[in-house]
Amino acid sequence: YNQQYLANLSNRQITRNFRIADKIRAAESLNVARENTVNQVEFYTPRPIADPVKPLAPLPIVGYAPTKAVGPSASALTLNLANTVSDAYKSYQSYQPKDPNQNTTTTTPPR
C-alpha cells in the first residue's frame, strides 16, 4: 500500500509539473500571439473582385493649380532699363550734326 501510495504520489507530482509547464507554455504562446497581432503591419488593403456587370465608380480628379510665372528681378529690370537709356542716348548723339568749328585734324605738340 505504501509503495502504491508513493508511486501514485510521484505520478501525481510528475503530471502536476507537466500540467503547470503546459499552462506556462500556453500563456507564453498566447502572449507571443498577442504581440504578433499588435505589431502586425498590413502593407496593402486587398481589393474586392469587381463585378463585371456593374459599372465602375469614376476615379477622383486630382488637380493642381498652375504656378505663377516668375517675372524679371528688380536688379535685372534696372540694368536693362539703364542699357536701353544708354543706347538711346548714344543713338541720339550719333544723329546730331557735327560742329563745324571743331578741328578734325589735331596734332599733338612735340615734347
Side-chain angles (χ1 to χ4, degrees):
Y1 176 76
N2 287 339
Q3 287 178 350
Q4 284 180 345
Y5 175 76
L6 290 176
N8 194 12
L9 182 66
S10 69
N11 286 343
R12 270 196 246 160
Q13 191 170 5
I14 290 171
T15 55
R16 178 177 175 264
N17 289 342
F18 279 133
R19 279 185 282 145
I20 291 173
D22 286 342
K23 288 181 181 178
I24 289 173
R25 284 192 199 102
E28 289 174 354
S29 66
L30 287 174
N31 191 28
V32 168
R34 180 191 59 82
E35 287 180 1
N36 287 341
T37 303
V38 168
N39 295 335
Q40 187 177 15
V41 176
E42 191 170 335
F43 292 102
Y44 71 98
T45 53
R47 299 180 69 189
I49 297 173
D51 184 10
V53 178
K54 185 177 177 183
L56 297 175
L59 295 174
I61 297 173
V62 178
Y64 301 99
T67 58
K68 293 182 179 178
V70 179
S73 65
S75 59
L77 185 62
T78 305
L79 188 60
N80 286 341
L81 186 61
N83 284 339
T84 305
V85 169
S86 171
D87 291 342
Y89 181 73
K90 287 178 186 176
S91 176
Y92 172 76
Q93 288 294 331
S94 69
Y95 288 124
Q96 295 301 313
K98 301 290 183 197
D99 187 13
N101 296 333
Q102 187 179 10
N103 188 1
T104 55
T105 58
T106 58
T107 57
T108 56
R111 292 187 171 190

